[in-house]
Amino acid sequence: MQLTGLHHVTAITAQAADNLAFYTRVLGLRLVKKTVNQDDVSAYHLFYADGRASPGTDITFFDWPAPAERRGTDSISRTLLRVGGAASFDWWREHFGRQGVNHHPAIERDGRLTLDFEDGEGQRLSLVDDGGAGEAHPWDGSPVPPEHQIRGLGPIRLTVSQPERTEAVLTQILGFRRARTFELPEGEVSVFETGAGGPAAEVQLLKGTGPQARQGAGAVHHVAFRIPDADYEAWADRLKQRRVPSSGPVDRYYFRSLYFREPNGILFEIATDGPGFATDEPMETLGDRLALPPFLEPRRAEIEAGLKPL
């Protein structure tokens, strides 16, 4: 029973239409599910992923009218996105320049070429070279050439005031392994890996100082880790046996989830790979219409009336 990598990262936007344009037309990701926050149906929940909506490729957004994030410690401070080789960085650097995207030169960091950039709300993102390892499923409708498209999630970085407490959860509860360290101007970063390892299965841990972050537009809300469908009940039992306060089983229809907070307050999710986003829509037309799980379908007219046009 082991986590197999990152499942998705969920962030916050206050500008859903601009968010849609940036992640599909600038980053070239596919909108694979246009739905609502199941706990707040006044808000869109937008899922962007690869051409097949593969687990481990999703960056998702809650559409909330929130003020900008106050950056600080005890937060998910950067999301990395994988691309397949050094040649892609030249293309992305030129593309970001043409699109007016705030970005930095590509540098080698932790032994991998990395390019830091931000979306229009200050979401902190990076491209990272994964060497072309593993499967890739380009989207035919992407404005980005197939060989340069984002292949999925890379490492996520946590900046926390008490890293030893987060490390204990990563290693003793979730089964991550300490892999190595590297240096940033802000300090030493510890890298933890799960499953087969590699950039699709890593968490970076940095000790933070100063004020605590306040979530808002441009912030990451939570990170989810992948498990096989068959392991779901065992993970629910594990959290219960280890006395980790959690949500208990939550059926999100497209996957099943378990939620809990690590000791520094960051929200973690454990999510199954299936059933997947093609459960209620054909793969060919994912994201074309508002999709609602069956328990919300009777409220479709009410929900649609309360959403802003995209």
XYZ file of all heavy atoms in Angstrom, residues 102-174:
561
model
N 4.959 36.871 -16.817
C 6.041 37.150 -15.875
C 6.855 35.875 -15.647
O 6.333 34.897 -15.108
C 5.453 37.659 -14.553
C 6.507 38.017 -13.525
O 7.673 38.201 -13.854
N 6.091 38.117 -12.272
N 8.131 35.888 -16.073
C 8.939 34.670 -15.960
C 10.401 35.031 -15.740
O 10.814 36.173 -15.920
C 8.793 33.798 -17.208
C 9.402 34.396 -18.445
N 8.836 35.463 -19.123
C 10.537 34.095 -19.124
C 9.575 35.771 -20.174
N 10.616 34.967 -20.185
N 11.174 34.021 -15.337
C 12.596 34.175 -15.068
C 13.383 33.283 -16.024
O 12.826 32.354 -16.625
C 12.912 33.792 -13.621
C 12.231 34.659 -12.613
N 12.753 35.858 -12.188
C 11.049 34.522 -11.955
C 11.940 36.416 -11.316
N 10.893 35.633 -11.152
N 14.673 33.530 -16.182
C 15.475 32.649 -17.031
C 15.494 31.226 -16.486
O 15.373 31.001 -15.276
C 16.878 33.278 -16.967
C 16.649 34.695 -16.560
C 15.455 34.674 -15.656
N 15.645 30.260 -17.376
C 15.765 28.862 -16.961
C 17.117 28.651 -16.291
O 18.141 29.154 -16.761
C 15.617 27.941 -18.160
N 17.102 27.944 -15.170
C 18.334 27.615 -14.455
C 18.285 26.149 -14.044
O 17.218 25.535 -14.018
C 18.531 28.492 -13.205
C 17.367 28.281 -12.212
C 18.666 29.964 -13.572
C 17.597 28.940 -10.855
N 19.450 25.601 -13.715
C 19.468 24.243 -13.162
C 19.261 24.324 -11.662
O 19.938 25.084 -10.961
C 20.779 23.531 -13.479
C 20.758 22.071 -13.029
C 21.958 21.279 -13.522
O 22.133 21.162 -14.742
O 22.721 20.804 -12.653
N 18.304 23.539 -11.182
C 17.988 23.517 -9.759
C 17.669 22.074 -9.385
O 16.872 21.428 -10.058
C 16.797 24.437 -9.466
C 16.445 24.572 -7.998
C 15.209 25.450 -7.822
N 15.424 26.837 -8.245
C 14.544 27.575 -8.888
N 13.367 27.063 -9.227
N 14.820 28.827 -9.211
N 18.280 21.581 -8.334
C 18.105 20.190 -7.924
C 18.414 19.242 -9.085
O 17.769 18.218 -9.270
C 16.679 19.958 -7.400
C 16.488 18.586 -6.751
O 17.492 18.023 -6.259
O 15.348 18.081 -6.764
N 19.404 19.607 -9.894
C 19.841 18.755 -10.988
C 18.931 18.732 -12.200
O 19.143 17.936 -13.119
N 17.926 19.628 -12.235
C 16.984 19.657 -13.360
C 16.822 21.088 -13.847
O 16.750 22.013 -13.040
C 15.614 19.113 -12.937
C 15.625 17.684 -12.423
C 14.242 17.313 -11.917
N 14.211 15.949 -11.369
C 13.644 15.620 -10.223
N 13.041 16.543 -9.493
N 13.661 14.370 -9.807
N 16.698 21.269 -15.134
C 16.435 22.582 -15.693
C 15.044 23.029 -15.252
O 14.072 22.263 -15.318
C 16.518 22.523 -17.216
C 16.734 23.848 -17.950
C 18.039 24.515 -17.504
C 16.762 23.605 -19.458
N 14.941 24.276 -14.776
C 13.708 24.789 -14.185
C 13.495 26.229 -14.614
O 14.447 27.015 -14.675
C 13.786 24.725 -12.642
O 14.127 23.404 -12.228
C 12.468 25.111 -12.003
N 12.243 26.584 -14.902
C 11.902 27.948 -15.317
C 10.718 28.410 -14.474
O 9.631 27.844 -14.556
C 11.559 27.974 -16.811
C 11.397 29.337 -17.498
C 11.559 29.181 -19.008
C 10.024 29.970 -17.226
N 10.938 29.432 -13.666
C 9.893 29.959 -12.784
C 9.042 30.990 -13.527
O 9.569 31.808 -14.290
C 10.500 30.623 -11.553
C 11.290 29.663 -10.679
O 11.093 28.446 -10.796
O 12.116 30.156 -9.864
N 7.730 30.970 -13.274
C 6.841 31.965 -13.867
C 5.595 32.095 -13.000
O 5.413 31.346 -12.038
C 6.470 31.589 -15.313
C 5.611 30.354 -15.456
C 4.242 30.468 -15.679
C 6.162 29.077 -15.391
C 3.436 29.349 -15.826
C 5.371 27.951 -15.539
C 4.001 28.089 -15.755
N 4.734 33.058 -13.330
C 3.493 33.288 -12.589
C 2.351 33.504 -13.555
O 2.551 34.006 -14.668
C 3.619 34.529 -11.684
C 4.641 34.387 -10.581
C 4.694 35.609 -9.674
O 3.961 36.590 -9.955
O 5.474 35.594 -8.705
N 1.133 33.124 -13.120
C -0.040 33.493 -13.899
C -0.440 34.924 -13.534
O 0.253 35.613 -12.769
C -1.177 32.480 -13.725
C -1.859 32.536 -12.358
O -1.568 33.449 -11.551
O -2.707 31.659 -12.089
N -1.546 35.402 -14.079
C -1.931 36.788 -13.884
C -2.322 37.153 -12.473
O -2.409 38.343 -12.141
N -2.565 36.166 -11.609
C -2.925 36.430 -10.214
C -1.773 36.126 -9.260
O -1.966 36.122 -8.048
C -4.155 35.611 -9.830
C -5.407 36.030 -10.586
C -6.617 35.198 -10.224
O -6.673 34.022 -10.670
O -7.502 35.696 -9.513
N -0.593 35.854 -9.823
C 0.567 35.611 -8.981
C 0.734 34.180 -8.523
O 1.530 33.909 -7.617
N 0.003 33.252 -9.136
C 0.192 31.837 -8.827
C 1.628 31.449 -9.172
O 2.089 31.641 -10.302
C -0.781 30.996 -9.641
C -0.790 29.515 -9.301
C -1.385 29.225 -7.949
O -0.781 28.534 -7.143
N -2.567 29.780 -7.691
N 2.369 30.917 -8.188
C 3.783 30.608 -8.388
C 3.946 29.224 -9.003
O 3.586 28.211 -8.396
C 4.527 30.717 -7.057
C 4.703 32.156 -6.597
C 5.154 32.253 -5.162
N 4.062 31.959 -4.240
C 4.172 31.964 -2.926
N 5.344 32.215 -2.368
N 3.135 31.709 -2.166
N 4.479 29.199 -10.218
C 4.589 28.000 -11.019
C 6.007 27.878 -11.558
O 6.745 28.857 -11.637
C 3.602 28.048 -12.194
C 2.120 28.242 -11.833
C 1.337 28.706 -13.055
C 1.534 26.942 -11.278
N 6.378 26.664 -11.947
C 7.661 26.433 -12.612
C 7.495 25.317 -13.624
O 6.716 24.378 -13.405
C 8.756 26.020 -11.614
O 8.971 26.989 -10.628
N 8.231 25.415 -14.712
C 8.418 24.278 -15.595
C 9.670 23.546 -15.134
O 10.665 24.164 -14.760
C 8.595 24.737 -17.047
C 7.439 25.522 -17.658
C 7.805 25.958 -19.073
C 6.147 24.713 -17.656
N 9.627 22.208 -15.185
C 10.776 21.413 -14.784
C 10.986 20.303 -15.803
O 10.022 19.712 -16.303
C 10.603 20.837 -13.350
C 9.409 19.905 -13.248
C 11.871 20.147 -12.877
N 12.229 20.036 -16.143
C 12.573 19.010 -17.125
C 12.467 17.635 -16.480
O 13.174 17.342 -15.518
C 13.993 19.259 -17.629
C 14.417 18.286 -18.720
O 13.575 17.468 -19.161
O 15.591 18.340 -19.115
N 11.576 16.782 -17.016
C 11.482 15.409 -16.497
C 12.216 14.418 -17.375
O 12.103 13.199 -17.185
C 10.019 14.996 -16.300
C 9.254 14.805 -17.606
O 9.843 14.975 -18.694
O 8.053 14.479 -17.544
N 12.975 14.928 -18.363
C 13.763 14.049 -19.218
C 12.943 13.208 -20.168
O 13.472 12.282 -20.792
N 11.652 13.491 -20.279
C 10.800 12.707 -21.177
C 10.449 11.334 -20.631
O 9.963 10.475 -21.376
N 10.645 11.131 -19.341
C 10.370 9.814 -18.748
C 8.868 9.617 -18.577
O 8.140 10.537 -18.191
C 11.070 9.685 -17.405
N 8.400 8.402 -18.843
C 7.003 8.070 -18.633
C 6.129 8.470 -19.810
O 6.583 9.039 -20.801
N 4.847 8.166 -19.681
C 3.904 8.410 -20.763
C 3.555 9.889 -20.862
O 3.590 10.622 -19.880
C 2.620 7.609 -20.537
C 2.803 6.103 -20.618
C 1.473 5.373 -20.484
O 0.455 6.036 -20.196
O 1.459 4.143 -20.688
N 3.197 10.315 -22.068
C 2.695 11.660 -22.301
C 1.479 11.561 -23.211
O 1.444 10.721 -24.126
C 3.763 12.537 -22.942
N 0.488 12.393 -22.953
C -0.752 12.372 -23.730
C -1.093 13.796 -24.154
O -1.900 14.470 -23.529
C -1.885 11.771 -22.902
C -1.583 10.406 -22.371
N -1.458 9.301 -23.180
C -1.343 9.982 -21.102
C -1.174 8.246 -22.438
N -1.096 8.632 -21.179
N -0.458 14.268 -25.240
C -0.712 15.638 -25.695
C -2.185 15.836 -26.074
O -2.888 14.890 -26.446
C 0.194 15.782 -26.927
C 1.236 14.714 -26.771
C 0.547 13.584 -26.077
N -2.606 17.099 -26.001
C -3.962 17.485 -26.380
C -3.927 18.046 -27.793
O -3.201 18.982 -28.091
C -4.482 18.522 -25.390
C -5.810 19.119 -25.750
C -6.873 18.487 -26.320
C -6.205 20.483 -25.563
N -7.919 19.374 -26.502
C -7.540 20.605 -26.047
C -5.580 21.613 -25.025
C -8.240 21.805 -26.021
C -6.288 22.806 -24.992
C -7.595 22.896 -25.477
N -4.737 17.468 -28.673
C -4.755 17.896 -30.072
C -5.188 19.347 -30.232
O -4.801 20.009 -31.193
C -5.690 16.999 -30.895
C -5.161 15.577 -31.061
O -3.949 15.383 -30.832
O -5.957 14.680 -31.404
N -5.999 19.852 -29.292
C -6.490 21.219 -29.395
C -5.596 22.261 -28.762
O -5.954 23.443 -28.736
N -4.441 21.874 -28.302
C -3.547 22.800 -27.614
C -2.833 23.710 -28.608
O -2.413 23.264 -29.683
C -2.511 22.026 -26.794
O -1.596 22.917 -26.179
N -2.643 24.977 -28.244
C -1.815 25.851 -29.074
C -0.315 25.579 -28.918
O 0.488 26.154 -29.652
C -2.169 27.252 -28.560
C -2.567 27.046 -27.138
C -3.246 25.700 -27.095
N 0.052 24.730 -27.977
C 1.446 24.374 -27.742
C 1.777 23.129 -28.563
O 1.021 22.151 -28.537
C 1.702 24.105 -26.242
C 3.160 23.731 -25.994
C 1.322 25.335 -25.411
N 2.885 23.121 -29.299
C 3.254 21.925 -30.064
C 3.341 20.698 -29.169
O 3.754 20.799 -27.999
C 4.626 22.285 -30.648
C 4.656 23.783 -30.672
C 3.861 24.217 -29.471
N 2.949 19.523 -29.671
C 2.901 18.319 -28.825
C 4.196 18.044 -28.079
O 4.173 17.658 -26.905
C 2.575 17.201 -29.816
C 1.851 17.886 -30.925
C 2.458 19.255 -31.040
N 5.331 18.266 -28.726
C 6.607 17.919 -28.092
C 6.971 18.865 -26.952
O 7.859 18.546 -26.144
C 7.736 17.900 -29.136
C 8.064 19.242 -29.758
C 7.218 19.574 -30.992
O 6.121 18.993 -31.144
O 7.674 20.411 -31.795
N 6.294 20.012 -26.867
C 6.609 20.974 -25.810
C 5.498 21.087 -24.760
O 5.644 21.856 -23.799
C 6.858 22.357 -26.413
C 8.004 22.405 -27.367
N 9.235 21.830 -27.107
C 8.097 22.941 -28.620
C 10.042 22.023 -28.134
N 9.377 22.692 -29.057
N 4.421 20.351 -24.913
C 3.302 20.484 -23.984
C 3.673 20.050 -22.569
O 4.543 19.205 -22.361
C 2.104 19.675 -24.482
C 1.395 20.308 -25.660
C 0.142 19.561 -26.066
O -0.533 18.949 -25.230
N -0.195 19.607 -27.355
N 2.969 20.629 -21.605
C 3.109 20.219 -20.211
C 2.632 18.787 -20.073
O 1.544 18.429 -20.527
C 2.324 21.178 -19.307
C 3.001 22.558 -19.298
C 2.201 20.633 -17.884
C 2.167 23.656 -18.688
N 3.453 17.941 -19.444
C 3.186 16.507 -19.367
C 2.482 16.098 -18.077
O 1.967 14.994 -17.976
C 4.519 15.749 -19.494
C 5.158 15.883 -20.855
C 6.659 15.577 -20.834
N 7.004 14.395 -20.086
C 7.004 13.149 -20.594
N 6.644 12.944 -21.851
N 7.357 12.126 -19.842
N 2.462 16.985 -17.096
C 1.818 16.656 -15.834
C 2.445 17.421 -14.693
O 3.314 18.281 -14.877
N 1.991 17.115 -13.487
C 2.515 17.772 -12.297
C 3.931 17.304 -12.006
O 4.253 16.113 -12.134
C 1.636 17.457 -11.088
C 0.238 18.077 -11.072
C -0.551 17.535 -9.892
C 0.310 19.599 -11.019
N 4.750 18.252 -11.574
C 6.054 17.933 -11.027
C 6.015 18.087 -9.525
O 4.938 18.076 -8.906
N 7.163 18.272 -8.899
C 7.186 18.421 -7.433
C 6.356 19.611 -6.971
O 6.161 20.578 -7.699
C 8.674 18.646 -7.123
C 9.395 18.072 -8.304
C 8.508 18.305 -9.479
N 5.863 19.526 -5.749
C 5.242 20.678 -5.098
C 6.117 21.069 -3.908
O 6.746 20.214 -3.286
C 3.790 20.399 -4.653
C 3.729 19.200 -3.709
C 2.889 20.200 -5.846
C 3.161 19.535 -2.387
N 6.164 22.382 -3.649
C 7.012 22.869 -2.561
C 6.142 23.362 -1.415
O 5.217 24.154 -1.615
C 7.925 24.007 -3.038
C 8.932 24.469 -1.971
C 9.887 25.507 -2.536
N 10.527 24.976 -3.727
C 10.948 25.735 -4.741
N 10.792 27.046 -4.708
N 11.520 25.167 -5.792
N 6.443 22.881 -0.218
C 5.784 23.323 1.000
C 6.764 24.186 1.787
O 7.903 23.776 2.018
C 5.372 22.129 1.867
C 4.638 20.968 1.198
C 4.320 19.884 2.225
C 3.390 21.446 0.492
N 6.321 25.372 2.185
C 7.113 26.235 3.052
C 6.425 26.256 4.409
O 5.283 26.724 4.516
C 7.216 27.653 2.476
O 7.849 27.586 1.196
C 8.031 28.549 3.389
N 7.093 25.710 5.423
C 6.437 25.510 6.717
C 7.335 25.972 7.855
O 8.555 25.949 7.759
C 6.044 24.024 6.936
C 4.993 23.590 5.919
C 7.258 23.116 6.862
N 6.703 26.368 8.948
C 7.450 26.882 10.092
C 8.097 25.767 10.906
O 9.116 25.998 11.564
C 6.524 27.718 10.982
O 5.362 26.984 11.324
N 7.515 24.576 10.883
C 8.057 23.444 11.640
C 8.206 22.246 10.700
O 7.388 21.318 10.707
C 7.137 23.099 12.805
C 6.959 24.241 13.795
C 6.063 23.863 14.951
O 6.443 23.102 15.837
N 4.843 24.390 14.955
N 9.238 22.247 9.854
C 9.373 21.188 8.844
C 9.505 19.789 9.420
O 9.089 18.812 8.792
C 10.626 21.598 8.064
C 11.339 22.575 8.927
C 10.302 23.259 9.744
N 10.056 19.667 10.632
C 10.219 18.337 11.211
C 8.859 17.673 11.456
O 8.723 16.449 11.360
C 11.038 18.402 12.507
C 10.391 19.139 13.665
C 10.423 20.658 13.568
O 11.063 21.184 12.630
O 9.800 21.310 14.440
N 7.839 18.459 11.736
C 6.508 17.895 11.977
C 5.862 17.458 10.659
O 5.213 16.404 10.599
C 5.626 18.916 12.691
C 6.164 19.339 14.055
C 5.192 20.248 14.785
N 3.997 19.501 15.208
C 2.885 20.073 15.662
N 2.811 21.411 15.712
N 1.860 19.351 16.036
N 6.061 18.239 9.598
C 5.556 17.821 8.291
C 6.313 16.593 7.802
O 5.719 15.670 7.234
C 5.700 18.967 7.275
O 5.028 20.120 7.773
C 5.099 18.586 5.931
N 7.627 16.570 8.004
C 8.428 15.414 7.603
C 7.916 14.146 8.270
O 7.845 13.075 7.640
C 9.897 15.634 7.946
C 10.769 14.436 7.608
C 12.246 14.677 7.857
O 12.632 15.820 8.164
O 13.018 13.702 7.736
N 7.540 14.230 9.540
C 7.042 13.040 10.241
C 5.778 12.505 9.578
O 5.605 11.286 9.444
C 6.783 13.369 11.707
N 4.883 13.402 9.161
C 3.666 12.954 8.474
C 4.008 12.350 7.114
O 3.488 11.291 6.736
C 2.674 14.126 8.330
C 1.514 13.743 7.417
C 2.143 14.534 9.699
N 4.881 13.012 6.364
C 5.248 12.497 5.050
C 5.853 11.093 5.143
O 5.506 10.202 4.361
C 6.238 13.438 4.369
C 5.695 14.793 3.902
C 6.842 15.686 3.426
C 4.665 14.627 2.795
N 6.751 10.893 6.094
C 7.473 9.627 6.157
C 6.745 8.549 6.967
O 6.690 7.388 6.559
C 8.881 9.845 6.727
O 8.782 10.451 8.022
C 9.705 10.728 5.809
N 6.157 8.931 8.101
C 5.586 7.929 9.001
C 4.128 7.597 8.683
O 3.671 6.475 8.949
C 5.704 8.410 10.445
C 7.145 8.598 10.907
C 7.257 9.253 12.274
O 6.350 9.147 13.107
N 8.365 9.949 12.513
N 3.388 8.554 8.124
C 1.982 8.307 7.787
C 1.811 7.991 6.308
O 1.148 7.018 5.933
C 1.104 9.526 8.160
C 1.253 9.875 9.650
C -0.364 9.262 7.796
C 0.757 8.811 10.592
N 2.437 8.806 5.451
C 2.212 8.678 4.009
C 3.253 7.814 3.300
O 3.065 7.472 2.128
C 2.169 10.065 3.369
C 1.009 10.960 3.837
C 1.074 12.322 3.156
C -0.340 10.295 3.585
